[in-house]
Amino acid sequence: MLTEFSGHAHTADHSHPAPQVPLRHDWALPEVRALYELPLLDLVYRAQTVHRAVWKDNKVQLCSLLSIKTGGCSEDCAYCPQAARYKTGVKAEKLMSVPQVLEAAKTARQAGATRFCMGAAWREIKDGPQFDSVLEMVRGVKSLGMEACCTLGMLTDSQAHRLKAAGLDAYNHNLDTSEAHYGDIISTRGYDDRLKTLQRVRDAGIGVCCGGIIGLGESIDDRCQMLVTLANQAHHPESVPVNALVPVEGTPLAQHARVETLDMVRTIAVARILMPASMVRLSAGRQQMNEEAQLLCMMAGANSVFFGEKLLTTGNPEFDQDMALFEKAGVKPLEPNVDKPNT
Ligand code: SAM
Ligand code: DTB
Ligand code: SF4
């Protein structure tokens, strides 16, 4: 059973009584930094203990990702191959049509995806025909029996409510890094803009998917502070994607060194300890990891991945490779509405 720190129990699973795991919202940076710096196997042990108290089985959510509107973005996010101002080889495309998107969603469903995430290279979504098409895409994905997720940039209150009415389950909008480091990475919008959109998503009753990227030149304190900001929200995000920077030629961060796998493991483990009931997603950067590294991330509490050969514009492990890994390791796909956290 999970409890808010006040001691209020959400619900109980009487068939599988589990130890109490408090959901805290008062994390302080020094204690989180101390967790991050534990001997690695102690940290993984702590994270796995929290994980198994909340998530009974060894299951991983399979999310499919589609770039429904690629490139040509007005923002200057230093990591992003889709920013129009960087010469990255990503061409600006129009919004895909509703039938094209639903065809891709069907294929993903047949391959075993239970969540379909649609990403658009926009600063914000404009009202009008494009927004109406996205609403139709959300309704279509829901009618295929999948969870629907979008990431479209900043939203207004009214847009968030219309997306909710169309059936949207989750909205991805990342903090990416700490507030202190944010200005070194993005200048065309502020941290506060991100927080405001996240609040609008929350207020509309849509699940929040919010995480970040490691390998942006941030300090360990920046990494820990980002996790503290996420965990100290009034509600933990339902999903927390942890991305390793995919350095792309033409972006200002192209020459950044590849993130050490063990830094990914530590970040995931701390995210799991701070946000026990959230899905922690091992996101970008999986193609650069061997099987053992990915399994170590799962030991550290990752219970969600993007699968399919492409993320938005960069590569991801081949479908067959992922299936072989899951088979060898005995990892099972997590079913929406069945495999809920023990809350
Ligand atoms: N334009 C919208 C926005 O920025 O919110 C949605 C799409 S944007 C590409 C979604 C997320 O992808 C970003 O917030 C960032 O965390 C992640 N991302 C983009 N480029 C990346 C890269 N090169 N490596 C790792 N993550 C990346
Ligand atoms: C997230 O946190 N990671 C995904 C998803 N949310 C939209 C995107 C990763 C993008 C990696 C770079 C690319 O493929 O363009
Ligand atoms: Fe645009 Fe999103 Fe890329 Fe930033 S991360 S440049 S907002 S697509």
Side-chain angles (χ1 to χ4, degrees):
M1 177 164 63
L2 274 176
T3 56
E4 286 290 344
F5 207 44
S6 64
H8 165 73
H10 292 292
T11 57
D13 176 345
H14 298 291
S15 55
H16 290 91
Q20 300 251 328
V21 178
L23 289 188
R24 285 180 52 190
H25 304 271
D26 60 351
W27 291 95
L29 182 59
E31 60 176 332
V32 173
R33 171 104 195 202
L35 283 173
Y36 191 96
E37 288 179 342
L38 280 172
L40 185 81
L41 296 184
D42 292 345
L43 174 59
V44 170
Y45 175 73
R46 292 256 313 246
Q48 177 69 191
T49 305
V50 168
H51 189 86
R52 291 294 175 130
V54 179
W55 298 93
K56 284 166 289 176
D57 299 315
N58 164 28
K59 291 188 175 173
V60 170
Q61 180 190 41
L62 298 180
C63 307
S64 181
L65 185 54
L66 179 70
S67 181
I68 59 170
K69 155 72 183 86
T70 303
C73 184
S74 62
E75 299 293 272
D76 70 349
C77 311
Y79 48 76
C80 187
Q82 305 201 67
R85 65 191 72 202
Y86 310 136
K87 294 210 164 29
T88 63
V90 172
K91 295 206 173 56
E93 290 171 21
K94 286 203 193 117
L95 178 65
M96 286 171 72
S97 70
V98 176
Q100 273 176 322
V101 171
L102 295 185
E103 205 41 53
K106 257 184 228 158
T107 308
R109 182 74 191 104
Q110 278 155 9
T114 53
R115 174 181 284 219
F116 192 71
C117 182
M118 296 167 273
W122 285 319
R123 170 186 169 80
E124 71 250 299
I125 179 152
K126 306 248 173 352
D127 278 331
Q130 293 196 323
F131 188 70
D132 298 341
S133 292
V134 171
L135 293 178
E136 232 182 290
M137 291 169 194
V138 170
R139 285 191 282 265
V141 169
K142 290 305 291 175
S143 72
L144 292 170
M146 279 186 285
E147 292 182 355
C149 173
C150 283
T151 179
L152 314 167
M154 292 186 267
L155 288 182
T156 64
D157 277 329
S158 146
Q159 288 170 337
H161 282 96
R162 281 177 282 158
L163 284 165
K164 171 70 184 172
L168 191 72
D169 295 285
Y171 195 81
N172 169 243
H173 201 65
N174 290 337
L175 289 180
D176 283 333
T177 189
S178 70
E179 185 167 13
H181 190 55
Y182 199 77
D184 292 342
I185 302 298
I186 299 153
S187 76
T188 47
R189 55 166 194 261
Y191 214 63
D192 204 45
D193 296 320
R194 295 304 264 187
L195 291 167
K196 279 188 192 137
T197 291
L198 289 166
Q199 193 57 49
R200 291 185 183 122
V201 169
R202 178 62 76 204
D203 291 345
I206 299 169
V208 170
C209 172
C210 184
I213 309 180
I214 67 167
L216 301 176
E218 73 284 355
S219 65
I220 296 191
D221 269 355
D222 288 318
R223 240 171 240 176
C224 292
Q225 183 56 52
M226 180 189 79
L227 295 174
V228 166
T229 304
L230 292 172
N232 287 356
Q233 308 271 307
H235 298 275
H236 294 165
E238 282 75 9
S239 301
V240 181
V242 180
N243 296 276
L245 173 71
V246 181
V248 176
E249 213 40 61
T251 63
L253 305 188
Q255 303 314 322
H256 271 218
R258 199 169 82 73
V259 168
E260 293 268 353
T261 298
L262 297 185
D263 288 341
M264 268 310 257
V265 173
R266 285 185 185 276
T267 307
I268 287 171
V270 174
R272 169 53 66 219
I273 295 168
L274 267 53
M275 294 168 278
S278 304
M279 308 294 304
V280 175
R281 184 168 310 126
L282 168 56
S283 301
R286 223 158 48 81
Q287 202 179 29
Q288 287 72 37
M289 290 182 178
N290 64 21
E291 293 188 333
E292 292 77 7
Q294 294 182 53
L295 288 172
L296 196 48
C297 289
M298 290 176 200
M299 277 295 287
N303 62 348
S304 174
V305 293
F306 287 118
F307 89 129
E309 278 133 46
K310 206 147 133 207
L311 291 163
L312 291 171
T313 64
T314 65
N316 202 38
E318 300 279 330
F319 175 74
D320 290 349
Q321 234 177 310
D322 273 347
M323 289 306 112
L325 170 61
F326 281 29
E327 178 71 29
K328 268 189 274 186
V331 175
K332 304 257 172 342
L334 189 138
E335 284 300 320
N337 306 319
V338 176
D339 300 307
K340 292 278 186 204
N342 198 12
T343 53

